[in-house]
Amino acid sequence: MTLFSDPADLHSHRVRLVLAEKHVTVDIVDVDPLNLPEDVMDLNPYGTAPTLVDRELVLFDSRIILEYLDERYPHPPLLPVDPVSRATFRMYIYRVEKDWYSRVDTILAGGKPATKARKELKESLTASAPILAAKPFFMSDEFSVVDASIAPLLWRLPHLGIELEGSASNTYNAYAARLFKRDAFAKSLTEAEREMRL
């Protein structure tokens, strides 16, 4: 199994985190998204990272990769077993991408829209804080793919110029500490990501 991974990208980071959580042996090839190797361009019609190659199978959407890994390597399970809970968790992941990841992309692009996106992301995270206070992990007693999607975002907050305040800050700091102290999280970090917190 080979993962072509952008060492600074949220989507690649969450795939690396799930691979580490499941103790999957994988060759991780760091790629520059602006100068992808021919291998990736031949395999992936969209020319994006992450791209996962498992024998003849090629996957290039991080959500699909996460679900494939959870089904291919069922232990530990990172999605609930029953269909209703699985669908609910998939909706959480969708919302994380739509409400938070999209704003990160705008912030990283810079310019005037970045200031608005930074404010909106901070407000959205603050509004979600009570949900995180209820359970050790996102709406769950166990680490899930939702947490694997949120952890890379929280790691990047200082790099994005976002500082939460008040009770939201306390809630997120406690939640982030639980995520960041996991062995898998430490293993998932690239050098570029470590430098984001220096």
Side-chain angles (χ1 to χ4, degrees):
M1 188 182 284
T2 303
L3 176 69
F4 294 95
S5 167
D6 175 348
D9 174 60
L10 278 167
H11 296 276
S12 292
H13 190 176
R14 71 177 174 174
V15 172
R16 281 185 265 112
L17 178 50
V18 166
L19 286 163
E21 283 286 342
K22 291 187 171 282
H23 307 286
V24 176
T25 302
V26 59
D27 290 324
I28 296 177
V29 179
D30 287 342
V31 295
D32 177 353
L34 302 177
N35 188 23
L36 288 169
E38 285 296 319
D39 290 357
V40 177
M41 298 305 290
D42 292 341
L43 293 166
N44 177 346
Y46 300 101
T48 56
T51 297
L52 182 79
V53 182
D54 189 9
R55 297 185 203 92
E56 276 73 55
L57 178 68
V58 179
L59 301 173
F60 37 79
D61 177 275
S62 62
R63 264 185 295 173
I64 293 169
I65 294 170
L66 297 183
E67 290 193 26
Y68 170 72
L69 292 171
D70 200 50
E71 290 169 3
R72 174 109 157 71
Y73 303 95
H75 300 289
L78 299 182
L79 274 170
V81 178
D82 71 282
V84 172
S85 297
R86 284 175 80 86
T88 303
F89 273 56
R90 286 181 176 125
M91 286 305 302
Y92 295 151
I93 294 167
Y94 177 79
R95 292 202 59 191
V96 166
E97 286 186 7
K98 197 85 172 158
D99 298 347
W100 296 348
Y101 276 29
S102 62
R103 289 189 172 107
V104 169
D105 293 339
T106 305
I107 293 166
L108 293 174
K112 199 170 184 180
T115 304
K116 182 174 183 249
R118 194 174 283 112
K119 179 177 180 285
E120 289 171 345
L121 179 55
K122 182 177 177 178
E123 287 170 355
S124 183
L125 288 167
T126 300
S128 301
I131 296 168
L132 291 177
K135 298 250 184 188
F137 296 102
F138 192 90
M139 302 289 281
S140 175
D141 291 321
E142 304 293 330
F143 183 89
S144 76
V145 288
V146 183
D147 302 293
S149 297
I150 297 172
L153 172 74
L154 297 184
W155 181 259
R156 287 161 170 75
L157 288 184
H159 178 70
L160 297 170
I162 294 174
E163 189 175 337
L164 300 174
E165 295 154 7
S167 62
S169 174
N170 297 336
T171 300
Y172 273 99
N173 286 341
Y175 173 60
R178 286 192 292 279
L179 298 177
F180 299 163
K181 76 177 181 185
R182 298 177 74 82
D183 289 342
F185 187 83
K187 288 177 185 165
S188 74
L189 289 169
T190 63
E191 197 56 46
E193 287 161 346
R194 283 191 185 91
E195 288 173 5
M196 291 175 183
R197 298 290 287 231
L198 292 179

